[in-house]
Amino acid sequence: MKHLFLNLLLLLTATLAAAETPSDFDVYLLIGQSNMAGRGPLEARDTTEIIDGVWLLNAEGVPEPAVAPLNKYSTIRKDLSMQGYNPGNEFGAVMHRETGRPILLVVNARGGSHIAEWQPDKANSYFSDAVKRTRQALECGTLKGILWNQGETDVQRKTPDYPGQFLTMITALRTALAADSVPVVIGQVGRWNWAPEEDIARFNDSIVPATTRLVPLCSYVNSEGLERRFKNERDPHYSRAAQIELGRRYSEAILRRDK
């Protein structure tokens, strides 16, 4: 009898959870390298408090209430212990508040990745995982935007034709997801001395704007004033506060396009 009661309780809990999960989400894909994966320090409440109105695509391809770290279900992530606060927390919260819509985040980033690894013609590329997981999310919603935060590795490599490679990737991604009119927002990289100053400035002030001019329905968010996590190290990662502000800037960029 006790086991029967427990089974019924579990069934009731699962049924209630399913009933509370929306059937029509606004879906956003968040991809890139470590600052999108999130390296901001987590506070204790971040890992227990559900972000109001925001869901996260889990490892089974099912929406669940969003709790940090948001890159924990990424199929291409590094060790779970490395996943921290990312811009998706604030982005999702603002988008829900401003639109009143349930938000479903597909977060599939990989620290240290470079643009070549995201190309559609590369075997076992990160591109195919992004497509697969987004398609799972589209079974219960509509893709409303793609957020991209990447470039630190390519700054250090001095990658040629970054805009062209990004165009190839986004064009293929939009085609695979039947999402030609979905906006894309790029985040600039941190502006402190984690790499030669002239290389960082060239990426932020020349390459990123050139990329947005080349790619239709593409804009970028500025990294001016965003703090670094480690004050005395040559490290490209944003602080928790910077990730919150970055998420707000991403949301503003999407909302501007919706007006």
Side-chain angles (χ1 to χ4, degrees), residues 25-221:
F25 288 96
D26 285 354
V27 178
Y28 293 91
L29 172 63
L30 282 62
I31 49 178
Q33 63 177 108
S34 55
N35 274 316
M36 183 59 85
R39 296 294 186 263
L42 290 167
E43 296 182 355
R45 61 188 174 90
D46 295 329
T47 61
T48 58
E49 291 185 0
I50 294 171
I51 308 170
D52 184 43
V54 182
W55 278 256
L56 180 66
L57 193 76
N58 68 19
E60 287 71 46
V62 176
E64 69 175 34
V67 176
L70 298 184
N71 201 51
K72 59 190 168 191
Y73 297 126
S74 170
T75 55
I76 58 175
R77 65 166 169 78
K78 293 183 177 179
D79 190 83
L80 180 60
S81 64
M82 299 179 68
Q83 312 310 312
Y85 205 94
N86 86 341
N89 291 66
E90 185 69 8
F91 171 80
V94 173
M95 293 305 298
H96 173 66
R97 285 199 307 269
E98 293 297 320
T99 67
R101 297 279 300 155
I103 306 298
L104 176 56
L105 303 179
V106 182
V107 188
N108 222 67
R110 167 76 182 187
S113 58
H114 50 90
I115 190 69
E117 293 177 295
W118 289 90
Q119 295 304 298
D121 60 351
K122 187 173 179 61
N124 300 317
S125 78
Y126 303 150
F127 173 91
S128 59
D129 282 43
V131 170
K132 177 181 177 181
R133 284 180 47 75
T134 306
R135 284 176 174 167
Q136 291 174 323
L138 294 182
E139 293 179 7
C140 53
T142 303
L143 186 63
K144 294 292 187 176
I146 301 170
L147 310 187
W148 173 261
N149 201 288
Q150 188 276 337
E152 293 88 351
T153 299
D154 293 287
V155 167
Q156 294 169 323
R157 292 182 175 213
K158 301 183 188 295
T159 298
D161 192 26
Y162 187 96
Q165 292 190 64
F166 187 80
L167 174 64
T168 298
M169 179 196 71
I170 287 297
T171 300
L173 189 58
R174 282 172 163 163
T175 298
L177 298 173
D180 290 344
S181 61
V182 169
V184 177
V185 184
I186 302 172
Q188 290 183 333
V189 299
R191 292 178 174 269
W192 53 91
N193 62 340
W194 54 268
E197 183 179 351
E198 62 273 18
D199 293 341
I200 295 172
R202 178 173 175 269
F203 186 84
N204 280 337
D205 303 330
S206 296
I207 293 176
V208 169
T211 302
T212 61
R213 290 192 295 269
L214 185 64
V215 178
L217 297 173
C218 185
S219 59
Y220 71 90
V221 294

